[in-house]
Amino acid sequence: MSDTALDITGWTCPAPLRDRPRVVMGHGGGGALSAELVQHLFAPAFGGDVLAQLGDSAALSLGGVRLAFSTDSYVVRPLFFPGGSIGDLAVNGTVNDLAMSGAEAAYLSCGFILEEGVEMPVVARVAEAMGAAARAAGVEVATGDTKVVEAGHGDGIYINTAGIGVIPDGVDLRPQRVVPGDVVIVSGEIGLHGVAIMSVREGLEFGVDVQSDCAALGGLVRSMLEVAPDLHVLRDPTRGGLAASLNEIAAASGTGVVIHEGRVPVPAAVANACAILGLDPLYVANEGKLVAFVPREHADAVLDAMRAHPLGRRATVIGEAVDAHPGLVVARTALGGTRVVDLPIGEQLPRIC
Amino acid sequence: MKYIEEFQDPALARRLLDDIHATVTRPWALMEVCGGQTHTIIRHGIDQLLPEQVELIHGPGCPVCVTPLEVIDKALEIASRPDVIFCSFGDMLRVPGTGRDLFQVRSEGGDVRVVYSPLDALRIAQENPKHQVVFFGIGFETTAPPNAMTVHQAKKLDIPNFSLLVSHVRVPPAIEAIMQSPSCRVQGFLAAGHVCSVMGVREYPELAARHRVPIVVTGFEPLDILEGVRRAVRQLERGEHTVDNAYARAVRPEGNPAALAMLEDVFEVTDRAWRGIGVIPDSGWRLSERYRDFDAEHRFSVTGINTREPAECRSGEVLQGLLKPHECEAFGTLCTPRSPLGATMVSSEGACAAYYLYRRLELGTVPAAKTAATAPTAASAPLEASPVV
């Protein structure tokens, strides 16, 4: 469709998109622009009750079996970074989307979009990383596809993965189940993946020794559900960071969320990098962390279970769901003040000075 | 880097706050000049913790906010040209010009790149000799020296396809302009520490004496701000008006000689327009005659600029400390970070953005369906009693 043929007045709810007649990078940033694109353009175009739930993965019922189904695409630069690669991400990201539904990933699909000219050893390294990550996560890559685009039309390698898994009986993880009084737990230190990527990005090397936290969270979720099958909601705070996940849950549940900023585990290297760049760690991406809203009576047991798991050793209670300010996330600052923690608009931009 | 933790210590903050509360006997209005300080104040809730008598007025020290619309429109025009690679710091890309921003130019096919140093732009120029590479050189005394050094390098290395779109501004003339305003309420200044780390403090004693205002050189962490306020209030209560360096770990009185020499070599002082304020005499820098070839405004014939400021935007008054962001009728309704009318709402250091991002709950500008009756402090009380915390 050409620009002139585009008639946005015919869209179901075009208003929020009208001021952006073209796609900008922020539409993929995991913030407000991304949400608007999905809610006001894709969801109305596709229709369907399952998609309308807008979860990280879709909860389906097929032949009496409850399934979680999810897909994600990976366009990270550079392809290899401290602590992982695009291959690890492509497996762990989709496995984690399924895990946030309580499902253990069983099978993945894998779609490669390769750019003409990419060196074959690079493709092999990525594929080997994917295989190793899949084995570690206990998931099988069952089907795939490969396309090649002309040189200059891609960043070397893009990967899409989709995954499917079974949701155990009695597990019902949805933001709508959050109630005031629920305790908010984060599984460990935040911001590692985003800072690891920034630390090696062209033009931004700042000598920080930070490894991405990229990891599959299925085992950690299993440990949590064993002691508390009635968990209310889980999210992996990837793009948009912890702030985006908390805002999505607050908005979908209609409860307020209060966090204590001083209790959010932020590694010194992440805090320092963010201070230099003018970024807020709450908005920096993670790839191996989850945030859980847990009924208060189960919080101690869940916390103990998490801390007994290698990926949850630094699990910490950071806040709770509240009656007040429904849909809004508020932080108590370390000094005793308060502030709103808003959904990011697009990508965070390093400040000028 | 241990400084960051140390300068956010809640126990030390409490002691400073106690001292300020004990010192204050009557109302005082202080201006923090820098937008970075404004964000620290709002983000950490410092203004909520100060005595009611101490009012913090937000100053014009946001480089993105004060860059004139005309310059942004010129940037948009230059960036749209097919032979140009336009390089900028990230936070300029979302600043609205007349009708669009640099992100939009990029989505329309313009080659707009985010860089983290002007030297990156110079490298891009070396790697793309068939393109004109333009760096958007805005900011205060903090960003001017590296930009000056980059132009110096471009001349030295004879890189003919590099140029600088310059809109640099200087803080002391802005302080002078604020103090000369008939509606000025400012009784003391928290001067921007990073500006002073470059320039030193030599420009301030005369200002402090002439206008009888204390000027305290202040850093950017919460304890820096509290110490700056404490020293300013102490002077005001005693009737003093001197320059006090509360940021000695970064600021030497003489400044940074190498940076000053570079500024002297490449730039010359000029009158400069500030967005929302107007022209302030001697408040800017432009490239000196020797470097005029590297001036993008000279290199590109930018015509047809027709700037239109939104009539509803009152960011000029905000920048002069005459209006608090939430006192603007458009705040949070017509004007949000999502659809900003002015740069003070979009800039990461803008006062309007700080209020919108961090203060909507208290200001009553949360969307109606989400407005809550309970104060945030009360809402957090159950957490304190939580058996699992």
Side-chain angles (χ1 to χ4, degrees):
Chain A
M1 186 183 282
S2 70
D3 287 347
T4 51
L6 194 65
D7 179 15
I8 58 174
T9 57
W11 291 347
T12 308
C13 183
L17 292 169
R18 274 188 170 150
D19 57 340
R20 289 285 172 192
R22 291 173 187 263
V23 171
V24 295
M25 290 301 288
H27 284 120
L33 286 175
S34 298
E36 285 174 9
L37 184 65
V38 172
Q39 290 169 14
H40 299 299
L41 196 154
F42 290 137
F46 298 151
D49 295 337
V50 178
L51 181 61
Q53 296 170 9
L54 297 177
D56 281 351
S57 60
L60 312 170
S61 184
L62 271 181
V65 178
R66 294 168 69 222
L67 298 173
F69 181 36
S70 184
T71 185
D72 211 336
S73 299
Y74 301 86
V75 295
V76 65
R77 275 186 303 130
L79 297 174
F80 302 92
F81 48 82
S85 71
I86 190 172
D88 303 89
L89 279 183
V91 170
N92 292 336
T94 295
V95 164
N96 290 346
D97 283 345
L98 296 172
M100 297 307 112
S101 298
E104 287 188 39
Y107 295 103
L108 295 185
S109 73
C110 168
F112 274 102
I113 297 173
L114 307 175
E115 184 184 7
E116 183 183 31
V118 176
E119 293 169 357
M120 206 55 82
V122 172
V123 181
R125 272 180 72 195
V126 169
E128 283 162 10
M130 287 190 74
R135 285 188 289 279
V139 62
E140 183 179 339
V141 180
T143 184
D145 177 55
T146 306
K147 295 284 187 293
V148 177
V149 295
E150 289 176 24
H153 287 238
D155 280 327
I157 299 176
Y158 297 146
I159 303 175
N160 172 272
T161 52
I164 195 161
V166 177
I167 303 173
D169 288 339
V171 172
D172 182 16
L173 297 170
R174 287 179 291 125
Q176 290 78 11
R177 296 195 64 221
V178 170
V179 293
D182 279 1
V183 171
V184 182
I185 301 175
V186 66
S187 65
E189 294 176 319
I190 65 164
L192 292 165
H193 177 72
V195 167
I197 293 283
M198 282 187 270
S199 72
V200 291
R201 253 202 191 153
E202 187 180 12
L204 200 54
E205 293 86 353
F206 42 80
V208 171
D209 183 20
V210 172
Q211 302 269 313
S212 167
D213 58 346
C214 185
L217 295 168
L220 177 63
V221 172
R222 193 164 56 239
S223 300
M224 297 165 71
L225 289 172
E226 276 171 10
V227 297
D230 192 33
L231 288 179
H232 286 167
V233 68
L234 298 175
R235 281 286 159 101
D236 57 336
T238 53
R239 288 173 312 163
L242 190 58
S245 291
L246 293 175
N247 271 280
E248 286 163 11
I249 292 169
S253 66
T255 64
V257 174
V258 172
I259 62 168
H260 280 225
E261 203 168 16
R263 292 181 188 152
V264 178
V266 181
V270 170
N272 295 340
C274 287
I276 290 167
L277 296 170
L279 305 179
D280 185 337
L282 293 179
Y283 295 86
V284 176
N286 312 274
E287 285 294 345
K289 296 296 181 305
L290 62 81
V291 59
F293 280 61
V294 181
R296 182 165 291 266
E297 62 271 25
H298 299 316
D300 283 324
V302 170
L303 204 55
D304 288 344
M306 292 175 80
R307 287 176 177 165
H309 191 280
L311 296 177
R313 283 201 194 96
R314 298 290 308 273
T316 308
V317 172
I318 60 166
E320 67 174 341
V322 294
D323 279 317
H325 51 78
L328 210 62
V329 181
V330 170
R332 292 263 289 163
T333 71
L335 299 190
T338 61
R339 69 171 170 118
V340 173
V341 178
D342 206 1
L343 191 67
I345 295 170
E347 293 179 292
Q348 280 202 105
L349 299 169
R351 68 179 175 214
I352 194 164
C353 67
Chain B
M1 276 305 182
K2 65 178 184 174
Y3 276 142
I4 292 175
E5 264 178 43
E6 288 178 355
F7 284 84
Q8 297 186 358
D9 184 332
L12 287 173
R14 190 70 258 164
R15 281 168 54 189
L16 288 171
L17 279 163
D18 288 345
D19 194 78
I20 295 167
H21 278 265
T23 306
V24 168
T25 63
R26 54 199 154 124
W28 299 112
L30 305 176
M31 175 176 275
E32 83 277 2
V33 172
C34 173
Q37 293 170 330
T38 302
H39 265 252
T40 298
I41 289 162
I42 306 296
R43 185 172 186 272
H44 294 272
I46 289 170
D47 54 334
Q48 300 166 329
L49 305 171
L50 288 171
E52 273 185 18
Q53 296 104 314
V54 177
E55 181 189 2
L56 293 177
I57 297 173
H58 315 308
C62 164
V64 173
C65 302
V66 301
T67 301
L69 186 59
E70 189 185 359
V71 174
I72 294 168
D73 282 347
K74 282 180 182 172
L76 294 168
E77 212 278 331
I78 293 170
S80 301
R81 299 188 180 198
D83 61 330
V84 166
I85 299 172
F86 193 87
C87 301
S88 170
F89 293 130
D91 49 4
M92 285 305 292
L93 266 65
R94 281 203 302 121
V95 179
T98 304
R100 57 185 185 152
D101 58 28
L102 284 166
F103 269 128
Q104 211 152 321
V105 169
R106 193 160 79 174
S107 73
E108 291 162 5
D111 193 345
V112 178
R113 302 187 191 183
V114 173
V115 294
Y116 301 92
S117 155
L119 287 171
D120 291 341
L122 193 61
R123 181 176 51 77
I124 290 170
Q126 287 175 297
E127 292 169 356
N128 296 272
K130 292 180 180 169
H131 286 78
Q132 287 289 329
V133 174
V134 181
F135 181 72
F136 202 175
I138 75 153
F140 287 87
E141 290 92 333
T142 47
T143 51
N147 291 350
M149 184 182 68
T150 305
V151 174
H152 178 85
Q153 283 289 101
K155 186 178 176 73
K156 186 173 159 189
L157 299 172
D158 192 20
I159 301 173
N161 62 327
F162 176 84
S163 60
L164 195 67
L165 181 60
V166 192
S167 188
H168 279 301
V169 281
R170 302 172 59 234
V171 165
I175 291 179
E176 178 71 41
I178 287 164
M179 291 310 297
Q180 285 180 356
S181 166
S183 48
C184 175
R185 297 188 298 115
V186 179
Q187 295 163 294
F189 286 94
L190 307 183
H194 52 6
V195 167
C196 297
S197 71
V198 173
M199 303 301 294
V201 298
R202 67 185 193 285
E203 295 172 286
Y204 292 121
E206 192 197 332
L207 275 173
R210 183 148 31 95
H211 297 290
R212 304 182 63 79
V213 288
I215 298 177
V216 182
V217 179
T218 305
F220 300 88
E221 294 301 325
L223 294 196
D224 289 322
I225 302 286
L226 288 172
E227 176 64 6
V229 170
R230 191 180 76 88
R231 294 196 192 190
V233 166
R234 197 170 52 185
Q235 281 203 48
L236 287 165
E237 290 283 345
R238 290 175 182 168
E240 298 170 356
H241 40 79
T242 62
V243 177
D244 186 4
N245 183 5
Y247 197 39
R249 69 182 188 276
V251 174
R252 287 176 295 180
E254 70 277 16
N256 179 333
L260 289 169
M262 194 54 72
L263 289 171
E264 177 80 12
D265 178 44
V266 175
F267 289 134
E268 62 191 21
V269 170
T270 183
D271 297 348
R272 179 71 73 191
W274 294 50
R275 188 172 189 175
I277 296 177
V279 175
I280 301 177
D282 294 336
S283 69
W285 276 303
R286 65 180 174 195
L287 288 166
S288 60
E289 192 61 42
R290 291 200 305 131
Y291 293 92
R292 200 55 53 82
D293 288 347
F294 294 92
D295 188 335
E297 288 200 60
H298 281 254
R299 187 168 299 189
F300 300 92
S301 170
V302 185
T303 56
I305 298 292
N306 183 19
T307 60
R308 284 191 323 275
E309 287 278 12
E312 304 89 347
C313 182
R314 300 178 67 184
S315 63
E317 292 162 83
V318 172
L319 288 168
Q320 294 173 72
L322 304 176
L323 190 76
K324 287 277 165 62
H326 62 286
E327 292 165 357
C328 170
E329 284 181 4
F331 178 83
T333 54
L334 276 178
C335 183
T336 68
R338 176 75 182 76
S339 54
L341 291 179
T344 48
M345 181 59 91
V346 75
S347 163
S348 60
E349 296 185 11
C352 296
Y355 271 66
Y356 187 87
L357 289 175
Y358 302 139
R359 281 297 157 76
R360 273 173 297 154
L361 195 59
E362 302 145 75
L363 300 176
T365 46
V366 178
K370 295 180 178 177
T371 303
T374 314
T377 44
S380 65
L383 183 63
E384 301 289 359
S386 166
V388 295
V389 174

